[in-house]
C-alpha cells in the first residue's frame, strides 16, 4: 500500500484511526453473535472502535518504538517514511544547534516517499492478515471465556512465529546499478498488529491485520526499502506455516484433532478441527456463499465477452447449457439470502453449548484409531509429486509450502518436530532436477526445478492448479 492509501483508507477503516470502523449490515438471515468478554470495543461490534495497534517485529528497538502504536507514529512511518520518533529527534537536533538540513537527514528513514497514489507512488507498507480456519474462530466465538483466552493465545503465538519466519527468509533488498543485485536484509521488520474480532457484517471472525513497514536495514546497517516481490513470493509458505502452527497449538492445549474438509468441489481440501458440525462451519462462509451464487453468471458473461472460458473447470464438473444451477441458500424465514443461512439458534442450543466437548470426543476417536507417523522418504516423494502435478515447474518455496500442508494433514494436529518441513524439502529436492542455474547468494531460492521422473507422472493440465494467482 502506498502512503496515500495507508492514511486515507487502511488506518481509518481497518485500524480505526480518526473514526470508528462501522459494521456493515449483515446479509439477510444473518445475526450478529454477541461475544462474551469482548465487549463493544471490538472491531465492528456495535460500531465500536478496534483496539489500538501494537508494535511487533525485531526492528522496533532500532526505531525506538514499543507497546501501543500512537496515531502520530503511524503517520510518520507509514505516511511520510520517517522515523516514528521524528518529532523527538527533531527537538533534540534543534536543541543541539543542528541546521534544518541536518535535521531532515536525521529523521529520514531510507528513500523519500512519493505520495502519489497508483502507479509512481511509494509503497510504504504491506498488509498481512492472520486468519485461522473457520472451525477455529467458530469454536472461539462459541466457547467459554477460559477456552477463548487459550485460543487467542494460540493465534497470537502462531502470528509471532509466522512474522519471525518471514523476517528470516523473506527480507530482500536491492542495490547496485538498476537495482539488479539482490541481498538479504538484516532479519527484522517494524510492524503494527491490529486485533479484530468480527468481520464487516458483525459475524464472529478472530483475525489480525499486521501492517509491515517496507523500511528494513541492509547488512551494513543503513535503511533501505524492502523488495516487495520477494516478500510476496513467501506468502503461500507463510500462510501454510501459520495454519499449521495455530492448529497445532490449539490441538495440543485443548486436546483436539484435525480432519480434512472440502470447501470447493474440485479444489484441495483444507484442515479443520474435528467434531465441528459442517453446517455450522458453512454458516460462517458469508463471502464464499455470495461469490458462489454469482460465479456462473460472471463466468458466462466472461465467455460471451471474450469467446473462451475464464479458467479450467474442476474435475467431474459438467459443462454446457444443460447443467442445472444449484438452488440459492435459504435464509431463516424462507427468503433466498445469497449468503449463509440460519442464525446460531437454528442449530440447537445443546450443540452450541457442547461444541468443545463434541470436538474432544471426535479427537479421541481419531487418536484411538491410529497414531500419526511421518515417513521422511515417503513424505518427500509425495511432496515432490504433488507440486509437480500442480505446477510442472516450481521453486523451493513451493516445496516448502506443500511440505507444511503434508505435515498438517498427516499429523492431524500433533506438533511437528522443529525443522521437519525443511528436511522434507531437502529430501524432495533429491527427486528433482534444476532447470535454471541463477548466480548470486540467493541462487537456491530462485532455482527452477522439475521432477526427475516427470515422464512417469500425470500431466498437470488434468488437475486444477490452486496456485494460478500466485507470482511465478
Amino acid at each position: 500500500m502506498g502512503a496515500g492509501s495507508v492514511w486515507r483508507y487502511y488506518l481509518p477503516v481497518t485500524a480505526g484511526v480518526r473514526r470508528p470502523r462501522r459494521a456493515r449490515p449483515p446479509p439477510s438471515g444473518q445475526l450478529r453473535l454477541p461475544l462474551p468478554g469482548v465487549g463493544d470495543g471490538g472491531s465492528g461490534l456495535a460500531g465500536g472502535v478496534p483496539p489500538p495497534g501494537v508494535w511487533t517485529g525485531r526492528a522496533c528497538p532500532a526505531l525506538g518504538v514499543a507497546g501501543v502504536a500512537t496515531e502520530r507514529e503511524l503517520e510518520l512511518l507509514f505516511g511520510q517514511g520517517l522515523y516514528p520518533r521524528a518529532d523527538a529527534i527533531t527537538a533534540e537536533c534543534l536543541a543541539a544547534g543542528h541546521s534544518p538540513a541536518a535535521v531532515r537527514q536525521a529523521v529520514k528513514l531510507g528513500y523519500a516517499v512519493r505520495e502519489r497514489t497508483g502507479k509512481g507512488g511509494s509503497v510504504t507498507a504491506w498488509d498481512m492478515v492472520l486468519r485461522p480456519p473457520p472451525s477455529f474462530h467458530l469454536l472461539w466465538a462459541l466457547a467459554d471465556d477460559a477456552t477463548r483466552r487459550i485460543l487467542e493465545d494460540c493465534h497470537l503465538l502462531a502470528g509471532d512465529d509466522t512474522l519471525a519466519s518471514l523476517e528470516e527468509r523473506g527480507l530482500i533488498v536491492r542495490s547496485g546499478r538498476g537495482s539488479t543485485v539482490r541481498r538479504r536484509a538484516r532479519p527484522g521488520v517494524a510492524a503494527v498488529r491490529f486485533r479484530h474480532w468480527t468481520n464487516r457484517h458483525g459475524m464472529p471472525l478472530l483475525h489480525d491485520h499486521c501492517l509491515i513497514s517496507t523500511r528494513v536495514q541492509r547488512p551494513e546497517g543503513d535503511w533501505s526499502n524492502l523488495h516487495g516481490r520477494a516478500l510476496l513470493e513467501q506468502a503461500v509458505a507463510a500462510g501454510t506455516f501459520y495454519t499449521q502452527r495455530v492448529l497445532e497449538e490449539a490441538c495440543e492445549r485443548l486436546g483436539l484433532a484435525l480432519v480434512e474438509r472440502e470447501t470447493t468441489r474440485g479444489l484441495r481440501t483444507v484442515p479443520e478441527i474435528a467434531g465441528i458440525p459442517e453446517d455450522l462451519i458453512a454458516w460462517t462462509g458469508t463471502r464464499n456463499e455470495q461469490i458462489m451464487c454469482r460465479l456462473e453468471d460472471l463466468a458466462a458473461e466472461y465467455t460471451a465477452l471474450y469467446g473462451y472460458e475464464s479458467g479450467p473447470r474442476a474435475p467431474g464438473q459438467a459443462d454446457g447449457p444443460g447443467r442445472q444451477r444449484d438452488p440459492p441458500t435459504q435464509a431463516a424465514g424462507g427468503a433466498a439470502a445469497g449468503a449463509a443461512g440460519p442464525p446460531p439458534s437454528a442449530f440447537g442450543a445443546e450443540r452450541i453449548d457442547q461444541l468443545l466437548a463434541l470436538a474432544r470426543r471426535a479427537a479421541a476417536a481419531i487418536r484411538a484409531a491410529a497414531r500419526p507417523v511421518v515417513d521422511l522418504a515417503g513424505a518427500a516423494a509425495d511432496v515432490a509429486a504433488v507440486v509437480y502435478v500442480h505446477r510442472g515447474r516450481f521453486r523451493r518455496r513451493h516445496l516448502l509450502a506443500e511440505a507444511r500442508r503434508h505435515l498438517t494433514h498427516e499429523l492431524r494436529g500433533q506438533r511437528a518436530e522443529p525443522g521437519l518441513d525443511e528436511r522434507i524439502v531437502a529430501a524432495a529436492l533429491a527427486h528433482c532436477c534444476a532447470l535454471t542455474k541463477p548466480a548470486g547468494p540467493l541462487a537456491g531460492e530462485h532455482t527452477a526445478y522439475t521432477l526427475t521422473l516427470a515422464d512417469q507422472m500425470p500431466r498437470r493440465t488434468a488437475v486444477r492448479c490452486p496456485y494460478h494467482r500466485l507470482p511465478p
Side-chain angles (χ1 to χ4, degrees):
M1 292 179 291
S5 1
V6 168
W7 198 245
R8 280 189 288 270
Y9 167 75
Y10 184 89
L11 293 178
V13 176
T14 303
V17 174
R18 293 186 175 179
R19 68 173 184 267
R21 178 189 178 202
R22 295 175 293 180
R24 298 178 180 177
S28 174
Q30 291 291 340
L31 299 178
R32 289 193 182 93
L33 192 64
L35 304 180
V38 173
D40 289 341
S43 168
L45 281 177
V49 180
V54 178
W55 288 105
T56 183
R58 300 185 197 176
C60 288
L63 296 177
V65 291
V68 175
T70 65
E71 181 178 347
R72 181 58 177 167
E73 291 173 342
L74 297 174
E75 178 184 7
L76 290 171
L77 179 59
F78 299 108
Q80 302 180 29
L82 305 177
Y83 273 90
R85 295 182 58 255
D87 293 338
I89 296 175
T90 300
E92 295 172 1
C93 291
L94 292 177
H98 295 171
S99 64
V103 173
R104 287 193 296 270
Q105 189 64 28
V107 299
K108 181 181 176 183
L109 197 64
Y111 298 104
V113 170
R114 300 187 298 271
E115 297 185 2
R116 290 180 295 173
T117 58
K119 187 176 182 180
S122 297
V123 175
T124 61
W126 294 93
D127 181 25
M128 180 176 67
V129 181
L130 302 170
R131 171 179 171 172
S135 57
F136 182 99
H137 64 71
L138 187 61
L139 181 62
W140 164 84
L142 300 175
D144 56 77
D145 291 343
T147 304
R148 185 177 296 115
R149 284 192 291 269
I150 292 175
L151 293 175
E152 289 178 359
D153 289 342
C154 297
H155 172 63
L156 181 64
L157 178 61
D160 291 341
D161 291 346
T162 303
L163 185 62
S165 68
L166 279 178
E167 289 178 321
E168 289 291 342
R169 302 188 62 89
L171 304 186
I172 304 297
V173 293
R174 294 181 294 180
S175 60
R177 186 175 181 180
S179 299
T180 56
V181 179
R182 293 185 177 188
R183 297 187 298 163
R184 290 201 182 275
R186 283 189 180 181
V189 296
V192 184
R193 188 168 178 173
F194 300 94
R195 171 64 52 86
H196 285 177
W197 291 307
T198 65
N199 63 11
R200 295 177 183 273
H201 298 305
M203 297 283 290
L205 178 60
L206 175 67
H207 64 287
D208 288 358
H209 287 267
C210 195
L211 192 62
I212 302 175
S213 172
T214 58
R215 302 312 202 217
V216 293
Q217 288 180 296
R218 290 193 178 103
E220 298 79 14
D222 56 328
W223 292 89
S224 181
N225 283 350
L226 179 65
H227 186 19
R229 184 176 181 85
L231 182 66
L232 290 178
E233 288 173 348
Q234 301 294 329
V236 176
T240 53
F241 180 72
Y242 167 78
T243 301
Q244 178 189 359
R245 290 290 296 118
V246 73
L247 292 177
E248 282 179 354
E249 289 294 328
C251 291
E252 179 173 325
R253 298 190 187 190
L254 296 175
L256 306 176
L258 302 180
V259 294
E260 293 295 317
R261 173 174 176 261
E262 184 182 29
T263 58
T264 303
R265 184 173 48 187
L267 295 185
R268 308 184 66 179
T269 58
V270 296
E272 296 284 2
I273 296 176
I276 306 299
E278 177 71 23
D279 52 353
L280 199 55
I281 295 178
W283 169 74
T284 65
T286 57
R287 180 176 296 182
N288 181 67
E289 290 291 338
Q290 291 170 349
I291 292 173
M292 295 307 294
C293 283
R294 291 207 59 203
L295 180 60
E296 289 194 9
D297 294 336
L298 295 175
E301 293 176 7
Y302 186 96
T303 304
L305 181 62
Y306 296 103
Y308 55 88
E309 294 185 357
S310 58
R313 289 188 178 272
Q317 185 174 353
D319 293 319
R323 185 183 175 205
Q324 296 293 325
R325 179 173 299 180
D326 295 334
T329 305
Q330 296 295 319
S345 58
F347 297 103
E350 184 177 356
R351 276 210 304 170
I352 298 299
D353 295 338
Q354 301 297 324
L355 200 59
L356 180 59
L358 289 174
R360 283 175 170 166
R361 284 199 293 269
I366 292 174
R367 300 295 187 212
R371 182 173 180 82
V373 177
V374 176
D375 174 38
L376 182 61
D382 290 344
V383 166
V386 169
V387 174
Y388 168 76
V389 168
H390 283 285
R391 300 195 65 95
R393 176 189 175 109
F394 49 86
R395 290 178 171 81
R396 187 183 185 278
R397 62 179 181 271
H398 301 125
L399 295 172
L400 181 60
E402 185 58 39
R404 290 166 176 170
R405 288 193 189 97
H406 183 87
L407 290 176
T408 305
H409 171 74
E410 293 295 328
L411 295 180
R412 299 292 186 92
Q414 179 179 313
R415 187 184 297 275
E417 180 184 347
L420 182 57
D421 52 352
E422 297 285 353
R423 290 162 53 195
I424 292 176
V425 171
L429 288 175
H431 299 278
C432 306
C433 59
L435 299 177
T436 60
K437 295 182 179 180
L442 303 178
E445 297 291 336
H446 299 286
T447 302
Y449 298 94
T450 192
L451 201 63
T452 305
L453 303 177
D455 55 336
Q456 302 181 18
M457 298 298 300
R459 296 179 60 86
R460 64 179 180 137
T461 53
V463 180
R464 183 165 181 170
C465 178
Y467 307 101
H468 64 283
R469 293 186 182 275
L470 299 180

